[in-house]
Amino acid sequence: MGLVFFSLALLTFALCQWSPGVNNVARINLCLSLLLAHLLFLLTQQFLSLIRPHQVLCAVISGVLHFLFLSGFVWMFIEAVLLFICVKNLSQISSKKREVLSSGFLCVIGYTVPLVVVAVSAVVDPKGYGSEE
């Protein structure tokens, strides 16, 4: 059910723009991150007997799941910041909003922060992803 509604939300945000000033990048990427995370989780559970013997594959899947769920949280934070700027109508930030909060910059922040966290986690505790259980 979750995959269906994430797909519908993703289509809605991608195809429908209420206003040219509204930036749907955070919402689209949030839905995409959570959709992929749930899909990978469900596929992992479905093919658990094939994945379990390969500890490296298990570790990679764990790292990707960690990355996708963290990116979901980062995109929620970005959406909260954008909503705060919109509601408060901050004149100094609003005038620079197009430059500072461009779609490309938001994508870099939305995916780089989780990538750094996962990389640091993997370096600090290499056996932390994947286990015999």
Side-chain angles (χ1 to χ4, degrees):
M1 288 299 287
L3 293 176
V4 171
F5 286 109
F6 275 129
S7 300
L8 287 174
L10 188 62
L11 284 173
T12 302
F13 292 134
L15 299 176
C16 303
Q17 280 211 340
W18 295 277
S19 168
V22 174
N23 192 351
N24 281 336
V25 172
R27 292 181 199 108
I28 290 170
N29 284 295
L30 171 63
C31 288
L32 185 64
S33 294
L34 293 177
L35 174 74
L36 291 175
H38 285 278
L39 182 64
L40 181 60
F41 183 76
L42 290 174
L43 288 175
T44 302
Q45 296 304 310
Q46 184 68 31
F47 298 108
L48 193 58
S49 61
L50 299 173
I51 295 170
R52 189 168 293 184
H54 307 288
Q55 191 165 357
V56 174
L57 180 60
C58 183
V60 169
I61 290 172
S62 299
V64 171
L65 279 172
H66 188 198
F67 168 77
L68 288 170
F69 281 117
L70 276 177
S71 66
F73 283 113
V74 172
W75 283 111
M76 284 183 226
F77 175 73
I78 290 172
E79 179 64 27
V81 169
L82 291 174
L83 185 62
F84 177 76
I85 291 170
C86 181
V87 168
K88 285 300 217 174
N89 197 12
L90 299 173
S91 59
Q92 295 172 347
I93 296 176
S94 294
S95 64
K96 295 183 181 183
K97 185 176 179 181
R98 289 192 179 116
E99 301 164 8
V100 177
L101 299 175
S102 66
S103 298
F105 180 73
L106 292 178
C107 286
V108 168
I109 296 297
Y111 291 114
T112 303
V113 171
L115 186 64
V116 168
V117 171
V118 170
V120 168
S121 297
V123 168
V124 168
D125 187 14
K127 295 185 180 192
Y129 290 114
S131 68
E132 304 259 334
E133 301 159 4

